[in-house]
Amino acid sequence: MTQGNHPTCYHCSSSILPNELIEAELGGVRRQFCCPGCMAIAQTIHGEGLEVFYARRSQAGEKPAAYLATDAIPEKLKPYDDPSLRGRFTRPYGDGRDLEATLRLEKIRCAACVWLSEQHLRRIPGVKDVQINYVTQKAIVRFDPEKASLARLLFEIERIGYEAWPFEPSLSVERAKKEKRQLLTRLGVALLGMMQVMMYAWPTYVNADITPEFEILLGWTSWALTVPVMVYSAGPIFQAAWRSIQTFRQTHLLGMDVPIALALALAFTAGTINLIKGSGQSYFDSITMFVAFILAARYVELLARQDAQGGAEALAKQLPATCERLVNYPDPQNVEVVPVVNCNPGDVLRVPPGEVVPADGTLIENISALDESLLTGESKPVEKKIGDRVYAGTHNILNPLIMRIDAVGQSTRIAGIASLLDQALLAKPVMVSLAEKWAAYFVAFLLVSAFVSSAVWLYFDPSQAWTVLVSVLVASCPCALSLAVPTAMAAAQGAVTKLGLLIVRGHVLEGLVQATDLVLDKTGTLTMGQPELQEIIHLRPGFRREDALALAIALEAGQRHPLALSLLRAAELENLSPAVLSAPVINQLGKGLSSGAYRLGSAVWIGLPQDLSSKEAGQYGQVHLADDVGLIATFVFLDSPRAGLKRLLQAAHSKNITVHLISGDDPATVKWWANHVGIKNYQGACTPEEKYEYIERLQNEKRFVWAIGDGVNDAPLLARADISIAVGAGAPLAAAGADAILTASSLEPLAKSLALAEKTKRIIKENLLWALIYNVLAIPAAMLGLVNPWVAGIGMSLSSLAVTLNAWRLRKA
């Protein structure tokens, strides 16, 4: 290739000066390069058999560094292989042997860039999976650390002409601000151009009597003001349209920017020709107004999209930039303020009240209370005692706490949740895919309709042909149609994330609307698996209830098993102090506790009649307190139902969803709980295989099954269901195959999500109906010449704006 009098580089297409020419044979053809870096990248791409990239790409036009010609990792990337940095930027995946990293890609310009990056990374030894999202420009890479390294991944991406860095939330928020700032600037230029051009066009609107010289001056001034609007403000529209045309061979679909760009180009060309000829319309007022209105609609859409990203990622963005590190702990005086990125596991931090916890860790001094609402969905502050876990992104409320760091960066819980959200963005809901597909087909229909109607007008009234062509292209642009579903789904997903439900796969909201049956597991799902003291029975005359409980907690002091904790909680609620024991407590393993004459444990060990220890249906268990005289009291425990269960069951019944309770617990217990909460369909003593077959039978009856389980024990249940939700918090649950993860301890977010799914469906129908009505009215009006281009531009922009604002209502759900 040549450009002017100079050959051009095969890789970057820049001109090659005579003293810079480098040649190499690739695929049997002699190629010319401008630098060793371009040659190295091209050799890498050809060596991987990915040379088809050069037929798909958008040109780079940038010279890479010469060190890419070698296979050695550069010094600037080697620190990423240090264990401390690797721990910051990666997180365990699957069984824990593999690692997962989220990378931010730079210089990605088109779908071909994404394709090349994915294909090249997949061929690196040790890389298990690669997923790249073009919209967010993030890559999720899973790899074996014994065969691949983080520095190698970053270097290999650079070797094919791009850049990648480990994702940091602070960079994400900067990118969001930059994107908003750029769009606002383009909108400002378009609005300024529109106001000036409309002012100069005003004499023609009112048929003012002006001299030809002044009319020419106003015309060329309008042209000069329209050029920056076309080049700068509408630049991204033309770039997106060109990318769509370039990839048409592979996709056979055209994006919605194609008719917009075509209308703008035709109107500007026709206006310029008419201005030179001195006759006909200039269209510059229509062009500037159209661009201003469409950018205004896209700005509102951007605000809605960024707002819908809320939830965990929004929390991650709020992580502090600096923190207080105790250098010589436990010395409280030697405190230094350091960047959070410089902290490592093992460091001791102090977090004052009102501040955000900067990393995951363990509380080692000063009890406090933390607001974990965006992590768990619970608004009530969580009390933290010495030894408890604290998480990055939560707010310290009560006392200045001292913590030791366990995890930083992408190893934190909040980073794992943000990773799940990224995975959700990679999977498009069925409705979104269908809407995009039909919008693309509509673009082809629109182009044909525009040119056919223009040809008809050219035959009957040539003066109207251009106006009709531009009006049809503008008025019937499928922006509203293509935005109708994605904006609603994005807003809804953002809303449920804030409720405490992380959607991992995009079909969840659609599926909730279709659900006919809800299958619940018992322990860990319907119940908390945490026994609570239900009642004290068989109380010996002369002993008060408080006396028996005080003796029991004195014996259980320091014990950690569930029944002991339940007794301690009950005593704490009643403000009881432990009784004073005369002898030390002895733990008889598997039997109970004893101190002098007092014994607390099973009926068999204490020597009570067998019928006294029989477990009634629904009970978690019993323990007995006795002395040398005999039985003092029996403590009866009941598993506690999960908060929000009543709301969930009410929501399911209101939508005619049949509820099933299946569990591995004994049938009597399952029956008791089913009757207790009002579930008519139940089955106990189920193995994981039987749970799987239970759902399979429902599906064979053409039922659409929604299953809720704990995400680990119920893996077969979740895998088989049409929609599966794992109850619990954190990224490891994604391995259970759940479609969504409930991070809140309450089931109430599921009831709200069910209502939100219905509302989302309704809003999508409203959006599609509005888009359909608008196009049915706008296309014929434009084809008949009843609509001017500027009116068409306003109508199309307002249509898109209406759809976006309607979807935005889901944020408040």
Side-chain angles (χ1 to χ4, degrees), residues 209-233:
D209 187 17
I210 58 176
T211 62
E213 293 82 4
F214 191 59
E215 187 176 358
I216 292 174
L217 175 63
L218 290 179
W220 281 108
T221 305
S222 298
W223 182 89
L225 289 167
T226 305
V227 168
V229 175
M230 288 285 290
V231 174
Y232 177 69
S233 297

Side-chain angles (χ1 to χ4, degrees), residues 290-541:
F290 175 44
V291 173
F293 271 87
I294 195 171
L295 291 183
R298 292 190 177 186
Y299 183 70
V300 174
E301 179 201 346
L302 174 67
L303 293 179
R305 179 158 45 87
Q306 290 186 351
D307 180 77
Q309 289 175 348
E313 191 163 325
L315 178 60
K317 293 173 185 175
Q318 296 173 11
L319 294 179
T322 60
C323 61
E324 297 181 6
R325 182 166 63 186
L326 301 180
V327 180
N328 296 317
Y329 180 79
D331 179 10
Q333 304 301 321
N334 200 348
V335 180
E336 60 178 2
V337 178
V338 297
V340 175
V341 294
N342 292 343
C343 294
N344 296 300
D347 288 351
V348 177
L349 306 181
R350 181 173 68 187
V351 183
E355 296 294 322
V356 177
V357 177
D360 288 2
T362 304
L363 183 64
I364 59 175
E365 193 175 321
N366 300 340
I367 62 173
S368 187
L370 273 69
D371 179 1
E372 299 182 343
S373 56
L374 279 180
L375 271 179
T376 64
E378 296 294 327
S379 58
K380 185 179 179 181
V382 179
E383 292 186 3
K384 295 291 181 178
K385 301 182 178 64
I386 307 302
D388 286 351
R389 292 275 294 171
V390 293
Y391 298 101
T394 57
H395 289 257
N396 184 24
I397 297 174
L398 200 58
N399 301 314
L401 62 83
I402 309 295
M403 60 172 287
R404 178 172 281 108
I405 295 178
D406 295 334
V408 291
Q410 290 198 30
S411 298
T412 59
R413 179 179 172 190
I414 188 63
I417 293 174
S419 173
L420 291 178
L421 294 179
D422 286 336
Q423 292 179 42
L425 291 174
L426 291 171
K428 288 184 180 179
V430 176
M431 294 181 69
V432 173
S433 300
L434 287 175
E436 290 179 351
K437 182 179 179 180
W438 283 109
Y441 288 140
F442 185 77
V443 170
F445 166 75
L446 165 62
L447 294 175
V448 172
S449 301
F451 283 106
V452 169
S453 58
S454 178
V456 173
W457 276 99
L458 190 64
Y459 179 77
F460 289 102
D461 186 358
S463 65
Q464 291 290 317
W466 275 104
T467 302
V468 169
L469 176 61
V470 174
S471 297
V472 173
L473 288 172
V474 171
S476 54
C477 173
C479 292
L481 178 63
S482 60
L483 291 174
V485 179
T487 51
M489 295 299 291
Q493 289 198 16
V496 297
T497 299
K498 292 173 184 176
L499 290 175
L501 180 66
L502 292 179
I503 293 179
V504 180
R505 296 177 180 86
H507 69 283
V508 171
L509 287 174
E510 298 173 42
L512 287 177
V513 178
Q514 303 174 47
T516 60
D517 291 74
L518 169 59
V519 175
L520 292 168
D521 175 48
K522 189 185 81 67
T523 306
T525 303
L526 185 137
T527 64
M528 297 292 291
Q530 297 176 354
E532 295 294 338
L533 180 62
Q534 183 71 8
E535 57 180 331
I536 301 177
I537 60 176
H538 303 146
L539 196 64
R540 182 195 296 176

Side-chain angles (χ1 to χ4, degrees), residues 492-732:
Q493 289 198 16
V496 297
T497 299
K498 292 173 184 176
L499 290 175
L501 180 66
L502 292 179
I503 293 179
V504 180
R505 296 177 180 86
H507 69 283
V508 171
L509 287 174
E510 298 173 42
L512 287 177
V513 178
Q514 303 174 47
T516 60
D517 291 74
L518 169 59
V519 175
L520 292 168
D521 175 48
K522 189 185 81 67
T523 306
T525 303
L526 185 137
T527 64
M528 297 292 291
Q530 297 176 354
E532 295 294 338
L533 180 62
Q534 183 71 8
E535 57 180 331
I536 301 177
I537 60 176
H538 303 146
L539 196 64
R540 182 195 296 176
F543 274 85
R544 296 181 305 160
R545 181 181 187 281
E546 292 78 5
D547 298 333
L549 189 55
L551 280 170
I553 62 172
L555 289 162
E556 293 283 14
Q559 300 298 316
R560 304 300 298 172
H561 61 81
L563 297 183
L565 294 175
S566 177
L567 287 169
L568 294 170
R569 282 195 300 269
E572 187 176 348
L573 287 173
E574 298 181 25
N575 293 319
L576 290 180
S577 299
V580 178
L581 300 175
S582 58
V585 176
I586 300 173
N587 189 343
Q588 304 283 342
L589 192 62
K591 298 178 181 178
L593 303 163
S594 64
S595 173
Y598 295 112
R599 287 173 293 163
L600 180 70
S602 66
V604 174
W605 179 57
I606 291 177
L608 300 175
Q610 188 64 32
D611 58 346
L612 193 65
S613 65
S614 62
K615 179 181 175 183
E616 296 181 18
Q619 291 180 9
Y620 191 96
Q622 296 180 5
V623 291
H624 308 274
L625 176 65
D627 59 11
D628 291 341
V629 177
L631 180 67
I632 297 175
T634 296
F635 301 92
V636 180
F637 299 89
L638 184 71
D639 201 348
S640 53
R642 188 174 287 274
L645 175 64
K646 186 177 180 181
R647 281 285 307 274
L648 174 61
L649 295 178
Q650 287 175 345
H653 291 316
S654 69
K655 300 186 184 305
N656 296 318
I657 297 175
T658 304
V659 182
H660 307 257
L661 176 62
I662 57 176
S663 174
D665 283 4
D666 64 89
T669 301
V670 175
K671 179 181 178 180
W672 187 92
W673 273 104
N675 294 330
H676 183 65
V677 299
I679 297 176
K680 296 180 180 178
N681 304 285
Y682 54 87
Q683 183 174 323
C686 290
T687 64
E689 293 78 11
E690 287 172 335
K691 291 181 180 181
Y692 184 95
E693 292 168 359
Y694 190 98
I695 289 183
E696 194 172 39
R697 285 196 301 272
L698 290 174
Q699 291 171 331
N700 290 337
E701 297 171 7
K702 308 300 181 185
R703 312 291 287 176
F704 195 94
V705 181
W706 166 24
I708 306 174
D710 63 20
V712 178
N713 298 330
D714 300 311
L717 173 89
L718 298 176
R720 181 64 199 183
D722 297 296
I723 313 168
S724 55
I725 296 178
V727 177

